[in-house]
Amino acid sequence: MTPSPPSPHGSEPGNPKDPKKAPARKATAEKTVAEKTVAEKAVAKKAVAEKTAGKKAVSKKAAGKRTAAAVKASDREAALQEAAGGKAAAEEPPARKAAAKKAVTKKAVAKKAVTKKAVAKKAVAKKAVTATAVAKKTPAKKPVAKKTAAETVPETTVPETAAAETAAAETAAPKKAAARKAGPAKRAAKKVPASAPATAKGRASRPPAPAGSVEAGPVEAGPVQAGPARAEPVRTGPVEVAPSPALDGGDRDRLLHGTHHDPHSVLGAHPAPGGVVFRAFRPHALSVAVVTGGLRAELHDDGDGFFSGLLPLREVPAYRLVVAYEETVQETEDPYRFLPTLGDLDLHLIGEGRHEELWKVLGAHPMIHEGVGGTRFSVWAPDARAVRVVGTFNFWDGIGYPMRSLGSSGIWELFVPAIGEGELYKFDITRPDGSRTQRADPMARRTEIPPATSSVVEASHYAWGDEEWLASRGERPAHEAPLSIYEVHLPSWRPGLTYRQLAEQLPAYVKELGFTHVELMPVAEHPFGGSWGYQVTGFYAPTARLGTPDDFRLLVDSLHRAGIGVIMDWVPAHFPRDEWALAEFDGRPLYEHEDPLRAAHPDWGTLEFDYGRREVRNFLVANAVYWCEEFHIDGLRVDAVASMLYLDYSREPGQWTPNEHGGRENLDAVAFLQEMNATVYRRVPGVVTIAEESTAWDGVTRATHHRGPSGFGGLGFGLKWNMGWMHDSLQYMSHEPVYRKYHHGEMTFSMVYAYSENYVLPISHDEVVHGKKSLVSKMPGDWWQQRANLRAYLAFMWAHPGKQLLFMGQEFAQGTEWSEARGPDWWLLDPAYGAEADHRGVRELVADLNSVYRSTPALWERDTVADGFRWVVGDAADDNVLAFLRRDADGTPLLAVSHFSPVVRQDYRLGVPDDVPAWFEVLNTDAGRYGGSDVFHADPVKPEPQPWHGHPASVRLTLPPLSTVWLRPA
């Protein structure tokens, strides 16, 4: 267990000197000294016997034997009688007080000796542990007197004002001080301050003490101030700890078996007839004492780790617990004295499924609560019978850390004092059938490095430096701005690099290539690296494989400061079945649909979210907002949208149930996507959401409040992947040039629907794996023709309406498929490699495409409106030629001509507007520096007044083989 911080009030009893009692002390000084000498000798002999007996008893305690309840009860009864006698003696007049004390002292010595002798085999060990623990207090604190023969309240030590006890305490102090002097040196190596952050591997274990030894080290705690939450009693003199009202057998049993839903109702401090009842559940503890203000009282051991006592106090005070174990004594806050950390508004919003900052209230949060530092744990598990928190701080044994249920919200909560960042934890959930399961936190913001599965307590300390980027990113909507995306799989881009190392290399590389954005394949934590991140278990945690969440923030910040936006793949369509994660989280379907036919994803063996459950929808909507707000992500590319939209997706008849209207649309998923988009755009201006949607669903990028022909409002995405264009164009390019004329429509069909949505043209990771070949290897012909085809295709893609996305490695014509284990073949760009120039030429072309693209508004400003595009010739199938004009908002044109035949065509006439006096080449993929044959127009091309292709003028061009040429007005 992780210790708690020391109380600002101390834990030892004080010895105030009353001026009115000074004459009595002076009058009896000689008698007291004499009695003290005799008592010290008796105590010394008794201490030797107790030490020996104590070692034996501790050994027995370690074997699991406890003191018999009947013996303890008689011992406490005798102690209470002694306390009553001491109290009566204290009330005598001053003239008789010393004599009475003397008599009581002698009587107490005799009685205590008899009592201890009678129960030496069982009770001595506990008394020895308590006495030793009190003796070994932190040197910085006021010395605490051992129990001596003059004390009259054994095991419930409180301040005394009698002269005999004061004298005995002062006599015992030097001996205890000497013992403490050696103690800290021994314990120094064992002390681990709670404020020191633990690594993801967990905290170091405490070395075991020698057999039979008792350690009472200094309080191990971070810089936590425990301010008084309630009025503290101002009290002197002995406090009688009466037995507390019996704990209900049902409560006791439920706490022992981890099925109690409201432990705070029985544990902690509660007003009761006769005072305040204190109850603690500390399995494995030898003793527990309550410390409040200047008072300290030992609680009764009720067995099975329960300790309790009734103190004669008028109100519940702020207090701490001193817990003695076999190897240590800890002074700590009681987790069960605190009010809930979640307010009614939070619980209401969670219940309504409208808490847009869910990550701030659920999960593990280091915080100051009621003046005390610690960590709040909270989790949604409505079907659980009980939940306990386990982790490194309690040696993964949650029996003493049951959480409370916050009513009908389904939320379980516990504030654990004095633990903080770096602690590993999970939730130990008792299912409805009584079985138990340990689960990672669905809201964890940091995880262990896979294959380890624990969650990690996390708090961010990152200071952002991208204010300028954030202020300017929303100046233009994404569909009217230049958007050229480099898709990256971070773990394999350059294998072995961490987030921090990537922050040094990736921004520079992407900036050199001229891309406006990077798209990161899923960053959220996932157990199986071979899934590339598309089977997520930690939706709120960046993968720990590459570093901490703040390290990932540094990477995003570095990209922003380099002028590069960050889009992240986000996967709300499904999740894996791992038994420690979301599947049947609290014993029943919770995040997944309760209908097995709806829950099981037929393609990937995963589970689909239940979008109709408002708490699940809230979990996902808040997650989208979380990445944008907490990590400054500029866009979310939502994976597998088509599988969410259709109830019959990849299902045969009989494997799905129609919706309430008899259709196949998943109305719950539609509502979720609309809510997600509306919330993200409202909360985070300047971001963009992108749908990977492969069907003809109407209105993917239409506003949610605009209904289309199908009767649905738009889904509200900013952009949509144009999967049809990708499939058709790659199919065309795979044919030998001689056969391409029969497939010419595959390159022109995209313009039939080009303005139905706001499109991205994706050449993604999916197209260069699993036997599909790399992009250059898809092209026909020899090595020269393959590269020429690739260059012509890329320039055609950059000129086509829509935004561009290119997967890593394709920018330098990597010949092999991508492998997540190996990454791109960077050695192809090594000058020592013979064909390095071929690959570097393609990379230089990509850089020039991006440069011209960004500086030419005609290529991006009117991507989504028809008057930004016009065919010059789209039916020259026999020549394998495609030519079109692009225009910006001012009407300035760019002429793009693609020629997909391996021959040179001289004087090829194309119609053009007559208001452009001359055209000059701004890009030619056949240029020699790219690896081409260097057929180009060195001089501007002037139009002729001969109408052609429906235009009033025309130009005659020399078309290079397998090339694309861009021309702008001179």
Side-chain angles (χ1 to χ4, degrees):
M1 291 180 63
T2 302
S4 296
S7 168
H9 309 294
S11 61
E12 67 281 349
N15 292 298
K17 296 182 179 180
D18 189 343
K20 296 181 180 179
K21 298 176 183 178
R25 293 195 187 95
K26 187 171 182 181
T28 59
E30 294 180 1
K31 290 182 180 180
T32 303
V33 170
E35 291 166 5
K36 180 175 66 179
T37 304
V38 174
E40 280 185 339
K41 290 180 179 179
V43 170
K45 291 180 180 179
K46 182 174 64 178
V48 173
E50 287 178 358
K51 184 175 182 181
T52 304
K55 289 183 177 180
K56 294 179 181 179
V58 169
S59 298
K60 291 182 180 180
K61 179 67 72 175
K65 295 182 179 180
R66 293 189 175 274
T67 305
V71 176
K72 289 180 183 177
S74 64
D75 190 30
R76 291 192 182 101
E77 183 179 355
L80 290 172
Q81 291 175 358
E82 292 175 22
K87 184 174 182 182
E91 294 172 353
E92 293 291 327
R96 298 167 56 191
K97 189 174 292 184
K101 279 281 180 181
K102 180 177 179 180
V104 170
T105 299
K106 290 180 178 178
K107 182 178 179 181
V109 170
K111 187 170 184 179
K112 183 179 282 188
V114 172
T115 302
K116 293 193 176 216
K117 186 174 181 180
V119 296
K121 291 184 178 180
K122 295 183 178 179
V124 169
K126 183 175 179 181
K127 188 173 269 301
V129 170
T130 305
T132 306
V134 174
K136 292 185 178 181
K137 282 295 175 181
T138 310
K141 292 189 175 183
K142 184 177 178 181
V144 182
K146 284 186 179 178
K147 295 178 183 178
T148 67
E151 289 179 276
T152 61
V153 187
E155 295 196 76
T156 54
T157 309
V158 294
E160 292 278 357
T161 58
E165 183 166 350
T166 303
E170 290 173 352
T171 302
K175 295 181 179 180
K176 289 183 294 183
R180 287 197 308 271
K181 188 173 183 180
K186 281 185 174 182
R187 297 188 299 270
K190 296 182 181 180
K191 181 176 179 181
V192 183
S195 60
T199 65
K201 297 292 185 183
R203 296 190 182 278
S205 300
R206 182 188 301 277
S213 68
V214 178
E215 178 188 0
V219 175
E220 301 173 8
V224 178
Q225 296 181 350
R230 302 177 180 87
E232 298 186 3
V234 179
R235 187 182 181 93
T236 60
V239 174
E240 297 181 7
V241 180
S244 67
L247 180 62
D248 179 80
D251 286 327
R252 184 187 186 98
D253 186 68
R254 286 192 293 273
L255 286 168
L256 286 171
H257 293 89
T259 59
H260 207 297
H261 73 286
D262 189 13
H264 292 70
S265 66
V266 292
L267 300 179
H270 301 275
V276 174
V277 171
F278 291 84
R279 288 196 188 94
F281 183 37
R282 294 284 170 155
H284 318 300
L286 301 180
S287 66
V288 176
V290 170
V291 176
T292 174
L295 305 182
R296 173 191 172 100
E298 294 284 339
L299 300 182
H300 298 283
D301 186 343
D302 300 330
D304 294 328
F306 291 94
F307 297 84
S308 67
L310 177 64
L311 272 63
L313 303 174
R314 289 188 299 271
E315 58 184 349
V316 176
Y319 67 94
R320 294 165 67 81
L321 300 178
V322 177
V323 187
Y325 295 96
E326 292 179 358
E327 296 185 358
T328 186
V329 173
Q330 297 175 347
E331 183 173 342
T332 180
E333 297 285 351
D334 183 359
Y336 298 95
R337 80 170 180 86
F338 296 96
L339 295 172
T341 56
L342 274 67
D344 291 340
L345 178 59
D346 287 324
L347 296 178
H348 172 74
L349 291 174
I350 292 171
E352 292 291 317
R354 301 294 300 175
H355 205 305
E356 296 175 359
E357 295 181 340
L358 193 64
W359 68 92
K360 294 184 178 180
V361 294
L362 296 185
H365 292 269
M367 63 186 305
I368 302 295
H369 181 48
E370 297 182 14
V372 176
T375 296
R376 175 189 68 206
F377 295 93
S378 52
V379 63
W380 179 57
D383 292 321
R385 289 179 62 185
V387 181
R388 300 185 287 194
V389 61
V390 298
T392 49
F393 53 90
N394 60 15
F395 304 102
W396 297 99
D397 183 359
I399 188 171
Y401 289 81
M403 304 174 74
R404 68 176 143 207
S405 172
L406 299 181
S408 61
S409 66
I411 305 299
W412 298 79
E413 180 263 0
L414 181 66
F415 175 73
V416 182
I419 71 167
E421 298 174 47
E423 294 280 4
L424 306 184
Y425 72 98
K426 283 187 176 181
F427 294 114
D428 188 325
I429 297 173
T430 303
R431 300 182 178 105
D433 63 2
S435 61
R436 288 166 53 193
T437 178
Q438 285 193 2
R439 298 298 179 118
D441 183 0
M443 301 292 299
R445 300 185 308 285
R446 183 179 173 189
T447 68
E448 279 191 290
I449 300 173
T453 60
S454 295
S455 305
V456 184
V457 178
E458 169 69 4
S460 175
H461 303 283
Y462 188 75
W464 289 91
D466 60 351
E467 296 83 3
E468 184 177 345
W469 169 266
L470 295 181
S472 62
R473 71 178 179 182
E475 292 177 353
R476 281 180 174 269
H479 63 279
E480 296 177 357
L483 191 66
S484 175
I485 305 167
Y486 183 62
E487 188 185 21
V488 179
H489 180 251
L490 286 177
S492 68
W493 183 69
R494 286 184 177 164
L497 296 188
T498 64
Y499 290 131
R500 289 188 170 273
Q501 292 167 329
L502 285 164
E504 296 174 357
Q505 299 185 32
L506 183 60
Y509 183 79
V510 176
K511 187 173 184 177
E512 180 184 0
L513 289 177
F515 286 97
T516 65
H517 289 70
V518 294
E519 180 176 313
L520 307 179
M521 291 170 66
V523 174
E525 193 59 272
H526 49 283
F528 177 47
S531 74
W532 311 332
Y534 289 99
Q535 295 190 9
V536 179
T537 52
F539 281 80
Y540 284 79
T543 179
R545 293 171 174 85
L546 307 182
T548 69
D550 275 356
D551 293 342
F552 180 61
R553 287 181 173 92
L554 173 65
L555 173 59
V556 176
D557 199 5
S558 299
L559 287 162
H560 283 172
R561 284 183 282 181
I564 301 163
V566 181
I567 299 168
M568 188 187 85
D569 278 11
W570 186 54
V571 192
H574 60 120
F575 58 91
R577 296 174 180 264
D578 298 74
E579 62 182 9
W580 50 268
L582 298 181
E584 293 190 351
F585 182 75
D586 58 2
R588 292 174 180 163
L590 185 65
Y591 289 91
E592 66 271 39
H593 202 282
E594 62 182 358
D595 181 354
L597 293 179
R598 291 277 297 272
H601 198 292
D603 289 347
W604 302 309
T606 53
L607 296 170
E608 296 183 11
F609 283 101
D610 182 0
Y611 306 108
R613 188 162 189 167
R614 57 181 178 271
E615 297 94 342
V616 174
R617 200 163 59 239
N618 193 176
F619 172 81
L620 293 171
V621 171
N623 186 242
V625 175
Y626 168 77
W627 288 104
C628 295
E629 292 190 354
E630 293 291 326
F631 293 93
H632 294 194
I633 297 297
D634 302 293
L636 298 172
R637 176 266 194 184
V638 183
D639 183 65
V641 172
S643 73
M644 300 166 64
L645 291 175
Y646 297 97
L647 295 170
D648 62 344
Y649 184 87
S650 289
R651 293 177 172 90
E652 299 298 328
Q655 295 180 341
W656 62 281
T657 303
N659 62 32
E660 60 193 59
H661 304 295
R664 64 191 188 107
E665 299 83 5
N666 188 335
L667 304 181
D668 294 334
V670 171
F672 156 67
L673 291 171
Q674 291 175 328
E675 181 182 348
M676 181 275 297
N677 281 310
T679 304
V680 167
Y681 279 113
R682 171 172 50 82
R683 288 186 62 107
V684 197
V687 302
V688 61
T689 58
I690 306 170
E692 184 211 17
E693 205 284 314
S694 56
T695 73
W697 184 279
D698 177 56
V700 173
T701 59
R702 189 171 61 238
T704 58
H705 58 283
H706 289 168
R707 291 189 175 275
S710 62
F712 290 106
L715 296 182
F717 285 94
L719 298 168
K720 172 185 173 177
W721 273 20
N722 194 334
M723 310 292 282
W725 172 90
M726 175 272 298
H727 180 271
D728 290 347
S729 63
L730 288 179
Q731 185 71 21
Y732 174 87
M733 294 302 299
S734 69
H735 296 298
E736 291 285 348
V738 67
Y739 300 116
R740 284 175 175 165
K741 64 182 179 179
Y742 303 111
H743 302 274
H744 195 76
E746 293 174 345
M747 294 295 269
T748 60
F749 181 68
S750 59
M751 291 311 303
V752 173
Y753 59 87
Y755 305 110
S756 61
E757 303 280 3
N758 304 332
Y759 284 115
V760 174
L761 311 179
I763 300 298
S764 72
H765 63 277
D766 277 330
E767 310 315 315
V768 294
V769 291
H770 300 324
K772 295 180 182 179
K773 302 181 182 179
S774 70
L775 190 56
V776 70
S777 297
K778 295 176 187 290
M779 306 300 167
D782 58 22
W783 176 234
W784 188 94
Q785 289 182 339
Q786 284 182 312
R787 289 181 291 117
N789 273 304
L790 174 61
R791 294 192 303 267
Y793 178 71
L794 290 175
F796 169 77
M797 170 183 172
W798 254 252
H800 190 284
K803 314 305 179 183
Q804 298 78 39
L805 178 142
L806 186 67
F807 184 61
M808 65 183 192
Q810 312 315 302
E811 77 274 15
F812 56 82
Q814 174 176 310
T816 58
E817 286 187 350
W818 168 62
S819 163
E820 76 276 2
R822 186 184 66 249
D825 294 333
W826 296 107
W827 56 271
L828 296 174
L829 299 174
D830 186 344
Y833 175 58
E836 178 266 346
D838 295 345
H839 298 279
R840 190 167 296 277
V842 175
R843 197 182 78 161
E844 288 183 7
L845 170 66
V846 171
D848 287 349
L849 284 172
N850 281 322
S851 177
V852 177
Y853 169 79
R854 296 177 73 161
S855 63
T856 309
L859 291 173
W860 46 262
E861 195 171 38
R862 301 181 71 76
D863 272 334
T864 60
V865 291
D867 58 0
F869 175 93
R870 181 176 177 181
W871 281 113
V872 171
V873 55
D875 56 358
D878 290 340
D879 300 331
N880 293 345
V881 171
L882 297 163
F884 52 82
L885 290 166
R886 298 294 309 278
R887 292 184 182 273
D888 63 18
D890 296 329
T892 303
L894 177 138
L895 175 62
V897 184
S898 292
H899 176 219
F900 292 111
S901 290
V903 297
V904 177
R905 299 191 186 277
Q906 303 284 349
D907 292 332
Y908 197 86
R909 187 176 293 276
L910 295 170
V912 293
D914 59 359
D915 57 350
V916 177
W919 300 81
F920 72 96
E921 282 187 4
V922 292
L923 186 136
N924 185 333
T925 64
D926 192 51
R929 67 180 183 278
Y930 304 142
S933 58
D934 222 14
V935 175
F936 66 98
H937 299 89
D939 300 320
V941 178
K942 296 183 178 181
E944 300 174 357
Q946 181 175 350
W948 204 258
H949 294 142
H951 291 274
S954 58
V955 293
R956 289 184 298 166
L957 302 176
T958 299
L959 303 184
L962 298 173
S963 64
T964 294
V965 178
W966 292 355
L967 300 101
R968 281 196 311 208

